C-alpha cells in the first residue's frame, strides 16, 4: 500500500468542508483532481469513505473512523509548522536548559532577563541540576544546553565554553568569628564542622581533591543539595564552609558571616556553557546561546 500524506490531507479538507468544491478552493486545486484522489484512496483502503448525494457529501462509518485519526495528525502537522515558523521568527517556541545554582545566580540571571524582555513569546524552561546531573540530561538530549560550574569532565560530543571565573572563600557565622583574624592552614580547620554540597556534586569532588593534595581527608558534617542552602546553614552556626564569593558578599557586609583567611590558595573555578554537538539547536535556543556567549565575563 502506497498512500502518501497528500491523500490524507485532501481527505481531511473534503471531510471538514463536506464539499469537494469548498475543499478545492482552500487547497487551490481542481475539484475533479480531488475526486480522483479520494477515489484512489477508497480503492486502496478497500472501503467507501463518503456518501455522495444531491444534498452533498457525508462520511461513512469507515470515513468517520479514519477522520478521527487524520484530524489529530493534521492538527499536529499544523502545530509543528507553526512552531517552526515561530522559532524562525523568534516569536515563540520553548528553550529547555539545565543550570546549577552557582551558574544561575553568578552569571545567567541577568542574561535570561534580557532575553525574555527581547523575546517574550519564547517559553524558557529552566531545570535546576548539579553539574553531573546536567551533563547526563545533556547526553540524553533532554535539554538544549547546560550552564554549570567546572570541572565538568566532559568528552565528545559534548563541548565546553568557559564564560566566567569565580573564587570560592571559606566563611563562618558569628560563633566562628574568632577564626577571621589570622590565616589558617586547612589542616587546622578540619577540627571544626564543615558544611558542603553533597557527594554527587563537582564542588564536593573539587574540595575533596584539593585536600588530598595536602594529605587531608574531607569529611563534611553536613551535606546540602544546593548552593542556596549553604548560607542559611553557615549563618546559623552549623559549621563553616566554602561558598562562591558573590553568594557571600551581602552577608559579609552585614556582619552575619565572616571570611576565614587561609594559608593555602583555593584555585578559581569557572561557569561554563556545555552543549551537545551531536544535536542541532533550534533557532531560539541558538539565539539564547549566542547572547550568553557574547556577554563579557
Amino acid at each position: 500500500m502506497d498512500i502518501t500524506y497528500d491523500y490524507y490531507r485532501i481527505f481531511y479538507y473534503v471531510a471538514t468542508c463536506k464539499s469537494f468544491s469548498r475543499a478545492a478552493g482552500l487547497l487551490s486545486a481542481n475539484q475533479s483532481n480531488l475526486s480522483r484522489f479520494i477515489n484512489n484512496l477508497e480503492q486502496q483502503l478497500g472501503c467507501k469513505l463518503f456518501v455522495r448525494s444531491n444534498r452533498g457529501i457525508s462520511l461513512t462509518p469507515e470515513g468517520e473512523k479514519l477522520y478521527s485519526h487524520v484530524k489529530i495528525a493534521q492538527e499536529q502537522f499544523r502545530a509543528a509548522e507553526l512552531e517552526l515558523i515561530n522559532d524562525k521568527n523568534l516569536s515563540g517556541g520553548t528553550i529547555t536548559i539545565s543550570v546549577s545554582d552557582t551558574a544561575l545566580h553568578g552569571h545567567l540571571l541577568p542574561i535570561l532577563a534580557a532575553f525574555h524582555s527581547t523575546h517574550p513569546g519564547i517559553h524558557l524552561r529552566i531545570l535546576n541540576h548539579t553539574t553531573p546531573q546536567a551533563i547526563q540530561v545533556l547526553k540524553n538530549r533532554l535539554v538544549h544546553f547546560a550552564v554549570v560550574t567546572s570541572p565538568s569532565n566532559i568528552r565528545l560530543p559534548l563541548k565546553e565554553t568557559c564564560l566566567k571565573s569565580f573564587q570560592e572563600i571559606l566563611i563562618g557565622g558569628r560563633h566562628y568569628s574568632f577564626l577571621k583574624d589570622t590565616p589558617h592552614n586547612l589542616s587546622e580547620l578540619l577540627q571544626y564542622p564543615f558544611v558542603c554540597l553533597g557527594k554527587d556534586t563537582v564542588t564536593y569532588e573539587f574540595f575533596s581533591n584539593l585536600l588530598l593534595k595536602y594529605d587531608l581527608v574531607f569529611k563534611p558534617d553536613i551535606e546540602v543539595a544546593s548552593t542556596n542552602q549553604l548560607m542559611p546553614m553557615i549563618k546559623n552556626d552549623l559549621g563553616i564552609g566554602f561558598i562562591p564569593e558573590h553568594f557571600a558578599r551581602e552577608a559579609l557586609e552585614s556582619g552575619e558571616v565572616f571570611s576565614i583567611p587561609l594559608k593555602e590558595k583555593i584555585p578559581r573555578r569557572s561557569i561554563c556553557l556545555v552543549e551537545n554537538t551531536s544535536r542541532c539547536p533550534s533557532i531560539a535556543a541558538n539565539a539564547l546561546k549566542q547572547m550568553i556567549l557574547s556577554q563579557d565575563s
Side-chain angles (χ1 to χ4, degrees):
M1 183 181 294
D2 182 23
I3 301 175
T4 66
Y5 166 69
D6 283 338
Y7 277 74
Y8 289 123
R9 182 166 175 267
I10 290 167
F11 166 77
Y12 169 79
Y13 276 93
V14 173
T16 301
C17 296
K18 295 184 172 61
S19 165
F20 279 93
S21 61
R22 286 198 293 271
L26 289 174
L27 294 169
S28 300
N30 185 283
Q31 183 174 335
S32 61
N33 286 340
L34 296 194
S35 297
R36 180 167 53 81
F37 271 105
I38 295 300
N39 287 334
N40 290 342
L41 181 60
E42 289 176 330
Q43 288 176 17
Q44 293 194 52
L45 294 177
C47 62
K48 283 290 183 183
L49 300 173
F50 293 99
V51 175
R52 298 162 176 82
S53 67
N54 292 333
R55 291 185 170 183
I57 61 172
S58 60
L59 288 166
T60 64
E62 292 81 6
E64 291 281 3
K65 187 178 293 185
L66 180 62
Y67 182 70
S68 66
H69 293 283
V70 171
K71 180 182 179 183
I72 294 171
Q74 186 65 31
E75 289 172 351
Q76 288 177 335
F77 280 128
R78 181 58 182 157
E81 289 173 353
L82 288 173
E83 186 172 338
L84 290 174
I85 292 169
N86 285 336
D87 277 352
K88 184 176 180 180
N89 297 326
L90 293 176
S91 58
T94 299
I95 304 171
T96 303
I97 63 175
S98 177
V99 301
S100 67
D101 285 335
T102 301
L104 181 66
H105 295 282
H107 188 67
L108 199 56
L109 271 178
I111 301 174
L112 292 176
F115 184 84
H116 181 65
S117 177
T118 306
H119 308 291
I122 295 177
H123 177 64
L124 296 175
R125 186 165 176 257
I126 312 298
L127 306 182
N128 181 230
H129 286 141
T130 64
T131 297
Q133 290 170 340
I135 297 305
Q136 190 57 53
V137 296
L138 192 59
K139 286 179 180 178
N140 294 338
R141 301 163 68 94
L142 299 176
V143 297
H144 288 98
F145 56 83
V147 183
V148 294
T149 51
S150 65
S152 60
N153 303 318
I154 63 164
R155 295 179 180 178
L156 290 173
L158 301 188
K159 174 187 174 184
E160 177 183 274
T161 304
C162 291
L163 303 172
K164 178 181 183 179
S165 68
F166 66 93
Q167 182 68 56
E168 279 160 309
I169 59 173
L170 183 62
I171 62 170
R174 291 188 175 94
H175 181 71
Y176 299 98
S177 61
F178 63 91
L179 295 172
K180 68 182 176 64
D181 296 322
T182 58
H184 304 273
N185 287 312
L186 285 169
S187 57
E188 302 171 35
L189 297 171
L190 290 183
Q191 63 181 296
Y192 303 109
F194 266 81
V195 182
C196 186
L197 294 179
K199 289 185 175 68
D200 61 341
T201 66
V202 295
T203 296
Y204 186 100
E205 179 186 355
F206 174 82
F207 285 107
S208 292
N209 291 336
L210 176 67
L211 267 68
L212 277 175
K213 290 181 180 179
Y214 301 101
D215 297 321
L216 302 173
V217 178
F218 189 48
K219 290 184 177 179
D221 297 78
I222 297 176
E223 295 178 20
V224 298
S226 70
T227 308
N228 284 331
Q229 295 173 335
L230 284 172
M231 185 59 74
M233 298 288 179
I234 295 170
K235 282 182 179 179
N236 284 279
D237 295 321
L238 290 170
I240 60 178
F242 292 99
I243 194 167
E245 192 170 15
H246 56 269
F247 270 87
R249 192 170 296 124
E250 187 176 328
L252 286 169
E253 290 174 354
S254 67
E256 295 176 279
V257 299
F258 302 89
S259 178
I260 300 172
L262 294 171
K263 292 180 180 179
E264 295 89 351
K265 182 175 177 60
I266 306 299
R268 292 181 72 85
R269 294 171 64 195
S270 298
I271 295 171
C272 307
L273 184 143
V274 185
E275 54 191 309
N276 189 334
T277 59
S278 69
R279 176 181 182 176
C280 184
S282 68
I283 293 173
N286 190 59
L288 175 56
K289 185 186 85 170
Q290 294 306 320
M291 181 177 284
I292 294 171
L293 294 176
S294 68
Q295 298 298 306
D296 294 331
S297 61

